[in-house]
């Protein structure tokens, strides 16, 4: 849970978003910004939206010679492989592909791919040629044909992908302590999708819910949406590199997150009540919602690129990059593993090649004088900035204190009080 003043970056200069006397952010349209081209149904990453689901599921299951029970994280990966969220991948990475992604942040074809999507095992009986049924809590998700088995250099993977090999980082702990000794690569044939706390649309289903003739700005989150978040992603539609009739896709992750995060079912309820509360407002009418079966790696800059690629497959043309996107702190010292603007800088440098434009987020603060404005504007005007930390907010929730509506939507607060202990 973030405090209001921690939500966004200062990377945008004042000329990008102009504040009116009433504190309302409006775009400063220039000849350049007015000429932004609409993108009708964003091209999938790599050119084709993959669909790996089998036409003959019974025969596919019958072909299996081994079984792996997936954990929560792996089940998310299998779902995104099968439905095209990880396009252009058609299965888990083989050794050559894995090495290329780790070393170059690209597939051997030259297409950007920033984090390896791998299946691990410590089962010696599974080898090249095996056909493995991948199951998850009673659901047959896919059959994998193993074409590569290899022992990864985990320290190198962690150093390249997470920027550290310290187990003080949650992603490194996952690679070092949760994954098996070997990775197996190969194609998948999709079967069924498990029932999740969040009803997750496929990339194709999400695309069908988006306008054909407008930019789509994606907002990634893993916590309930509070007022500052809402102001941030609705005002991102006014960014100068976003076309006039754009919409925002709020796309929360619903896979395993961090220990301190609010449980998935509770988060889902907060999103649903917020949608209902805001659907008839001007901002709400330009907002779409969908949920993503994805487990965070907390890999900072590389994960920001990963999120941009995934949202491209879901039809998005732009992606909001906040301060320390997908960042993590040491479990021992509390120090940040990444700089505040590393993710933004990498995203902007790769935006054209990736085909998704980065929208650095405004540094919004709440003032008694003009509601939400940029921190720079508030400082210039000498306004009284209201602050409420995530820790203080949680304490107020537990103790039944009134939560100010400038910080959180009442409908969201009501759910948290009722559902989150």
């Amino acid at each position: 849970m973030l405090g209001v003043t921690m939500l966004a970056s200062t990377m945008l200069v004042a000329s990008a978003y102009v504040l009116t006397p009433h504190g309302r952010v409006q775009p400063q349209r220039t000849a350049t910004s007015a000429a932004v081209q609409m993108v009708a149904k964003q091209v999938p990453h790599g050119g084709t939206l993959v669909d790996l689901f089998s036409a003959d599921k019974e025969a596919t299951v019958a072909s299996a010679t081994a079984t792996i029970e997936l954990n929560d994280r792996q089940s998310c990966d299998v779902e995104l492989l099968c439905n095209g969220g990880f396009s252009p991948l058609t299965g888990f990475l083989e050794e050559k592909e894995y090495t290329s992604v780790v070393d170059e942040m690209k597939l051997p074809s030259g297409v950007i791919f920033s984090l390896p999507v791998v299946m691990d095992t410590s089962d010696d009986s599974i080898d090249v040629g095996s056909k493995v049924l991948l199951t998850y809590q009673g659901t047959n998700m896919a059959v994998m044909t193993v074409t590569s088995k290899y022992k990864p250099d985990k320290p190198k993977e962690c150093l390249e992908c997470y920027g550290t090999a310290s187990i003080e980082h949650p992603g490194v702990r996952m690679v070092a302590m949760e994954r098996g000794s070997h990775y197996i690569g190969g194609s998948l044939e999709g079967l069924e999708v498990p029932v999740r706390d969040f009803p997750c649309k496929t990339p194709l289903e999400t695309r069908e819910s988006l306008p054909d003739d407008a930019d789509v700005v994606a907002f990634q989150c893993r916590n309930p949406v509070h007022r500052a978040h809402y102001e941030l992603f609705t005002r991102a539609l006014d960014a100068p590199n976003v076309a006039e009739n754009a919409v925002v896709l709020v796309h929360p992750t619903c896979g395993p997150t961090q220990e301190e995060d609010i449980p998935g079912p509770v988060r889902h309820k907060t999103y649903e009540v917020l949608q209902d509360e805001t659907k008839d407002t001007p901002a709400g009418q330009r907002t779409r919602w969908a949920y993503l079966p994805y487990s965070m790696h907390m890999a900072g800059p590389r994960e920001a690129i990963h999120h941009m690629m995934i949202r491209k497959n879901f039809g998005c043309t732009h992606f909001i990059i906040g301060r320390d996107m997908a960042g993590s702190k040491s479990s021992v010292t509390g120090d940040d593993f990444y700089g505040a603007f590393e993710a933004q800088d990498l995203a902007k440098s790769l935006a054209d090649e990736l085909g998704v434009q980065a929208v650095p987020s405004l540094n919004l603060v709440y003032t008694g004088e003009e509601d939400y404005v940029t921190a720079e504007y508030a400082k210039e005007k000498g306004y009284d900035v209201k602050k409420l930390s995530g820790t203080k907010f949680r304490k107020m929730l537990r103790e039944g204190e009134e939560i100010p509506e400038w910080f959180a939507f009442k409908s969201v607060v009501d759910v948290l009080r009722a559902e989150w202990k």
Side-chain angles (χ1 to χ4, degrees):
M1 187 84 59
L2 294 174
V4 171
T5 57
M6 297 170 60
L7 291 172
S9 118
T10 56
M11 288 295 289
L12 287 178
V13 295
S15 61
Y17 294 74
V18 178
L19 286 153
T20 72
H22 302 291
R24 179 76 184 123
V25 177
Q26 297 289 346
Q28 184 180 34
R29 298 291 177 183
T30 64
T32 301
S33 64
V36 173
Q37 294 297 308
M38 301 294 184
V39 178
K41 293 295 184 185
Q42 167 72 285
V43 176
H45 196 51
T48 302
L49 188 63
V50 170
D51 180 350
L52 301 181
F53 286 99
S54 172
D56 189 345
K57 294 180 173 59
E58 187 174 333
T60 298
V61 171
S63 71
T65 59
T67 300
I68 290 178
E69 173 67 15
L70 304 171
N71 59 32
D72 293 340
R73 184 183 297 273
Q74 292 167 333
S75 77
C76 292
D77 288 345
V78 170
E79 186 167 345
L80 287 174
L81 283 167
C82 291
N83 69 22
F86 282 148
S87 295
L89 298 189
T90 56
F92 286 104
L93 297 182
E94 297 182 342
E95 185 172 13
K96 179 181 178 182
E97 297 168 322
Y98 163 81
T99 301
S100 180
V101 169
V102 170
D103 291 348
E104 307 295 336
M105 213 164 70
K106 291 184 176 182
L107 295 168
S109 64
V111 173
I112 290 176
F113 212 93
S114 57
L115 290 176
V117 178
V118 297
M119 174 57 66
D120 63 283
T121 184
S122 295
D123 188 340
D124 292 337
S125 70
I126 295 177
D127 210 336
V128 173
S130 296
K131 292 182 75 70
V132 183
L133 177 64
L134 304 177
T135 63
Y136 177 66
Q137 297 183 359
T139 298
N140 293 332
M141 291 195 67
V143 169
M144 176 183 182
T145 300
V146 180
T147 52
S148 175
K149 185 175 184 179
Y150 52 101
K151 190 174 181 64
D153 185 340
K154 290 185 178 182
K156 181 179 181 182
E157 176 185 341
C158 291
L159 284 170
E160 295 292 344
C161 295
Y162 300 102
T164 179
S166 170
I167 59 171
E168 296 171 25
H169 187 293
V172 175
R173 285 199 299 275
M174 179 272 295
V175 172
M177 302 172 70
E178 294 179 21
R179 285 183 179 168
S181 60
H182 288 73
Y183 292 169
I184 50 176
S187 62
L188 294 187
E189 294 175 86
L191 298 169
E192 306 293 342
V193 176
V195 176
R196 300 188 184 279
D197 297 327
F198 296 48
C200 298
K201 293 180 180 178
T202 68
L204 181 59
E205 289 168 341
T206 303
R207 284 168 168 266
E208 290 172 346
S209 73
L210 299 173
D212 291 336
D213 60 350
D215 287 344
V216 179
V217 182
F219 178 72
Q220 141 76 27
C221 60
R222 72 176 203 276
N223 283 308
V225 171
H226 294 312
R227 275 289 309 280
H229 300 97
Y230 192 81
E231 294 293 328
L232 187 155
F233 67 68
T234 55
R235 296 184 187 199
L237 295 174
D238 294 332
N241 65 340
V242 176
E244 292 278 1
N245 66 339
V247 300
V248 63
L249 174 66
V250 184
H251 206 203
T253 57
C254 70
T257 53
Q258 303 303 299
E259 292 180 2
E260 68 275 13
D261 288 343
I262 294 171
V266 180
R267 286 186 287 125
H268 179 232
K269 288 183 181 179
T270 68
Y271 299 140
E272 293 295 305
V273 297
L274 182 57
Q275 289 178 65
D276 188 61
E277 180 177 341
T278 59
K279 64 184 179 182
D280 295 325
T281 67
Q285 290 173 358
R286 297 180 67 188
T287 304
R288 307 290 186 270
W289 294 75
Y291 304 114
L292 182 71
Y294 177 87
S295 178
M296 294 290 294
H297 293 256
M298 312 311 294
R302 278 217 182 194
E303 188 154 27
I305 301 303
H306 206 54
H307 280 297
M308 293 173 75
M309 177 273 296
I310 293 170
R311 277 22 181 256
K312 179 182 180 182
N313 285 326
F314 278 82
C316 299
T317 59
H318 296 68
F319 188 79
I320 299 170
I321 303 283
R323 183 187 179 95
D324 194 21
M325 170 87 189
S328 181
K329 297 180 183 294
S330 164
S331 59
V332 176
T333 67
D335 293 338
D336 292 318
F337 279 106
Y338 312 109
F341 306 119
E342 281 188 53
Q344 290 184 355
D345 291 343
L346 183 62
K348 289 190 290 186
S349 72
L350 295 177
D352 289 342
E353 183 178 359
L354 186 60
V356 180
Q357 294 304 308
V359 180
S361 55
L362 289 165
N363 184 17
L364 296 177
V365 295
Y366 181 80
T367 68
E369 293 86 354
E370 293 195 37
D371 204 88
Y372 278 94
V373 298
T374 63
E376 297 87 348
Y377 181 80
K379 182 177 180 180
E380 176 188 328
K381 292 291 187 179
Y383 287 164
D384 179 27
V385 174
K386 307 292 185 182
K387 298 181 181 180
L388 180 59
S389 70
T391 301
K392 175 65 173 175
F393 170 65
R394 288 190 290 272
K395 182 174 183 291
M396 294 171 71
L397 271 179
R398 286 194 301 269
E399 297 179 358
E401 296 181 43
E402 184 176 350
I403 307 295
E405 292 197 27
W406 63 260
F407 182 84
F409 292 92
K410 185 179 183 302
S411 60
V412 171
V413 171
D414 289 345
V415 169
L416 293 175
R417 285 199 197 280
E419 304 285 343
W420 185 42
K421 307 300 181 184

